[in-house]
Each structure stands twice: as C-alpha cells, then as structure tokens.
Amino acid sequence: MEGEVGNFIMVWIVVFACLLYCYIIGKFIPKGTTRLLALSIVTCLFLWFPLKLTTMHLGGLTSFFIAWLANFKLLLFAYGKGPLSSDPPIPLSRFVPMACLPIKIASTHSRFESPIQETKKTVKKGYLVKLSLFGMLLKVYDYNQYFHPKVMMSLYCFHIYFMLEIVLDMVAYVARTVVQMEFEPPFNEPYLATSLQDFWGKRWNLMVTSILHPTIYDPVRSISLRFVSRKWASLVAVFTTFLVSGVMHEFIFYNIGRLKPSGEVTCFFLLHGVLVSIEVCIKRMGLHLPTIVSRPLTLGCVLVTCFWLFFPPFLRFKPEVRGCQETVAFLEFVTTGRLISPSNASCPYI
C-alpha cells in the first residue's frame, strides 16, 4: 500500500506539471494541428500513468480522470474548443481542475438544476441518503452467498450509481471550495429515463456525455455529411460515439483488473449504439410510447444488457473482494497510520 500511495502522489504531481505545460502551450502556440502535436506527448503520458497504479480505486479513478476526460478536453483545447478554451483565457487555478476532474462550470441557462439553485439543507440531506444506502448495500454483500447471482448483479448497478454519485459529489465539493466554482450535476435521476436516448444523452454520467459530444459526435457527423444525408450522418455519429465509449471503458476495466480485454464491454456499448439508432428512427416516424411503458422498458433494457455484457468482465476481477481489501487497508492507515498491502487486509469475503 505504501508503494501504491507513493506512486499515486507522484503520478498526480507529474499530471499537474503536464497541465502547466499545456497551459503554457496554449499561450504561445495557436490553435490547430501544431498545438495538437505539442500536446500529443501529454496525451500519451496520460494513457500511461494509470498503468503505474494497481489498486482498483486509485487506478480506476485516475484512468477516468486523466486518460479519458483530461485527454478528450486537451483534444478540444488543441483546436480552441471545449471548457479549457475561452476568451480571455481562464486562469491556471481553474485550468488545472477543469482539465483533470469530471467537472465543469455550471451555466446559468443549464437545463439541469445546478447546486447553486438548491438549498444547502437539500444537498446535505440527499448526500446523506446516498451515503446511507451505499453503506447498507456494502453490508448486504456480507450475505451474498444467500442471493441469486442475478440479484447480486442488480445490486452492482446500484453500487456503481451510488459510488459514482458519492465520489463525484465529493470531488465537486472540494473543487468548489478550493476554486470557488459551481458545477453541473454528474447525473440527472437516470432511473427516470423514458428512452435509451434520454438515459445516455441527458441522465447518465453527464460529464462523459458533454465531452463525447464535441470530441466524437460533432466531428464524425460533420465529416459524414460530406457523403450521406443528415439523417444517416447523425446515426453514424451516434454509433461511432458509442464505439469510442466502449473502447475507453475497456481501457479503464483493464487498468482496474489487469485482465486481458474480452471485448464484451465494447459490444455492450455497440449494442446500445444500435438500439439508440433504431430508437431515433422510430421517433422520426412519429411513434412514441407512453411514459408508463417506456420507463420500465428502458430500465429493463439497460439491466438485461448489463447482466449479459457489462457485468461479466467486471466481476471477473472480483471487485467486491478487492474493494473491501482496499477499504480495510485505507481505514487501517487512517486509524493507526500503518500502511498494509490490500492483499493482506482481512476481508469478510475471503
């Protein structure tokens, strides 16, 4: 654990140095291919850094923050687009957290309710509810031998949702306190989605959606318009966006579990790309299902395809065991100051 913590600190020190370099590059090199070439060394390093971390939490989060979000934001920055580009340029104190964290400044015209519009009491209550439910879920894992595997997979859906909500809320709170910025929420009640297009585009992991749209969807759609009609160009862009998302998820899964990619996660996102495309075509024909039907149908589709393609590769590296061991090792360090290897931590799953 001591070596992992040291690697983690060193990785993020170098990340901050790289972002300082990117900020300076933006001052002296005009947007375009030349700036992209100057930033390419950083994007390569950001893909390599997560490989230096072996724990599920530190390695997984670092993969998500820098290999995916930061790299895609830097790609936009190379061409003078995205959250890192503005006129006048944003200060370094905001450039760094916006580049490497899953946050962005909330717009006053945002269609989602921003934290500044909520009362502090509501925010605190919602966070405590999520934290309590997540704690109860972890306790249920003590009795996993009594549950059907499909039930456990259903619980993993809630596990991922609560974990992401809690972690991203914590990141947003810390960043808000340090740099005094407000941020759009990472989720928008995904369990209320009335279609797959609604789920992926407006409710689930909005930070990824907002970065994939300008980096993948818009350029692919623009290029496709040269060869096909607007209707087909949009479908090509949707499918390509899901393909890229699948590849990035495979990369993150590899960094977490260090198992050979099976391609199942990519197939999961390709399948949803096809389903969303079909859904768009049906809507263009004027066919719409009532909410009372579309909502359970959407959630059912997401759950079934998760059981089939998303969770099997995720469960192969035993995330509940590794997560428990890493948590025990972290608590041991917090309470006693003693660093132990997660593999040596006492866990009820073993």
Side-chain angles (χ1 to χ4, degrees):
M1 189 67 180
E2 182 176 1
E4 182 74 357
V5 172
N7 287 341
F8 178 74
I9 294 173
M10 183 57 64
V11 162
W12 278 95
I13 289 175
V14 180
V15 166
F16 293 146
C18 289
L19 291 175
L20 174 60
Y21 163 80
C22 295
Y23 185 78
I24 296 173
I25 287 295
K27 294 281 189 180
F28 294 100
I29 299 181
K31 61 184 179 182
T33 305
T34 304
R35 185 188 290 185
L36 176 64
L37 292 175
L39 296 177
S40 61
I41 181 63
V42 174
T43 59
C44 293
L45 288 174
F46 280 6
L47 289 172
W48 177 66
F49 286 159
L51 298 175
K52 306 298 291 183
L53 303 171
T54 58
T55 56
M56 186 173 69
H57 291 92
L58 298 182
L61 289 175
T62 301
S63 296
F64 177 61
F65 288 171
I66 67 171
W68 191 345
L69 293 187
N71 268 348
F72 279 50
K73 289 178 183 179
L74 290 177
L75 180 62
L76 290 174
F77 178 65
Y79 291 95
K81 299 179 181 180
L84 302 181
S85 299
S86 65
D87 189 16
I90 60 176
L92 180 63
S93 61
R94 293 195 173 190
F95 183 91
V96 171
M98 288 180 65
C100 62
L101 296 176
I103 55 178
K104 73 175 185 177
I105 301 175
S107 169
T108 55
H109 302 289
S110 173
R111 62 176 176 249
F112 305 117
E113 184 179 29
S114 67
I116 200 170
Q117 296 171 308
E118 301 175 322
T119 64
K120 292 182 179 180
K121 182 177 179 181
T122 302
V123 174
K124 184 177 180 180
K125 182 179 178 181
Y127 185 79
L128 290 176
V129 169
K130 295 171 191 172
L131 198 58
S132 300
L133 291 174
F134 186 64
M136 293 170 60
L137 188 60
L138 294 179
K139 188 62 179 176
V140 169
Y141 291 158
D142 291 344
Y143 308 95
N144 59 357
Q145 66 270 27
Y146 301 110
F147 292 96
H148 191 277
K150 298 297 183 184
V151 175
M152 292 304 301
M153 285 188 177
S154 300
L155 294 179
Y156 288 136
C157 291
F158 293 101
H159 182 129
I160 292 173
Y161 170 64
F162 286 134
M163 185 182 71
L164 289 175
E165 277 271 31
I166 292 169
V167 170
L168 297 182
D169 282 348
M170 290 173 63
V171 170
Y173 175 79
V174 172
R176 187 185 306 124
T177 303
V178 173
V179 295
Q180 315 238 318
M181 292 190 298
E182 291 292 338
F183 307 101
E184 290 186 341
F187 297 95
N188 183 32
E189 299 179 314
Y191 43 84
L192 297 181
T194 55
S195 67
L196 291 176
Q197 188 179 13
D198 181 36
F199 179 86
W200 292 113
K202 299 179 181 179
R203 296 186 178 276
W204 181 260
N205 207 352
L206 300 177
M207 292 293 99
V208 167
T209 300
S210 66
I211 203 66
L212 283 175
H213 200 280
T215 54
I216 306 300
Y217 179 87
D218 287 344
V220 171
R221 183 176 181 275
S222 178
I223 294 172
S224 299
L225 283 172
R226 303 174 187 174
F227 307 99
V228 296
S229 66
R230 180 176 299 180
K231 177 178 67 175
W232 289 106
S234 297
L235 297 181
V236 172
V238 167
F239 188 79
T240 306
T241 301
F242 275 95
L243 171 61
V244 172
S245 182
V247 171
M248 293 309 300
H249 276 83
E250 290 277 9
F251 178 75
I252 292 175
F253 271 36
Y254 174 77
N255 282 320
I256 295 175
R258 299 303 166 93
L259 299 178
K260 182 180 179 181
S262 62
E264 291 166 284
V265 178
T266 301
C267 289
F268 169 82
F269 283 95
L270 287 177
L271 175 60
H272 275 265
V274 172
L275 293 176
V276 169
S277 299
I278 294 173
E279 192 177 78
V280 170
C281 292
I282 292 175
K283 288 181 178 179
R284 286 174 178 170
M285 296 168 59
L287 301 177
H288 299 275
L289 292 175
T291 301
I292 194 172
V293 176
S294 62
R295 184 165 290 161
L297 193 62
T298 298
L299 294 182
C301 179
V302 172
L303 288 174
V304 169
T305 51
C306 278
F307 293 165
W308 177 28
L309 294 170
F310 190 85
F311 285 125
F314 179 73
L315 297 177
R316 285 189 195 115
F317 53 81
K318 300 180 179 179
E320 73 281 5
V321 175
R322 292 183 58 192
C324 177
Q325 290 176 322
E326 291 173 17
T327 302
V328 170
F330 174 75
L331 293 176
E332 179 74 15
F333 171 71
V334 171
T335 55
T336 67
R338 188 165 62 95
L339 289 170
I340 62 173
S341 172
S343 60
N344 295 328
S346 177
C347 179
Y349 302 122
I350 300 178

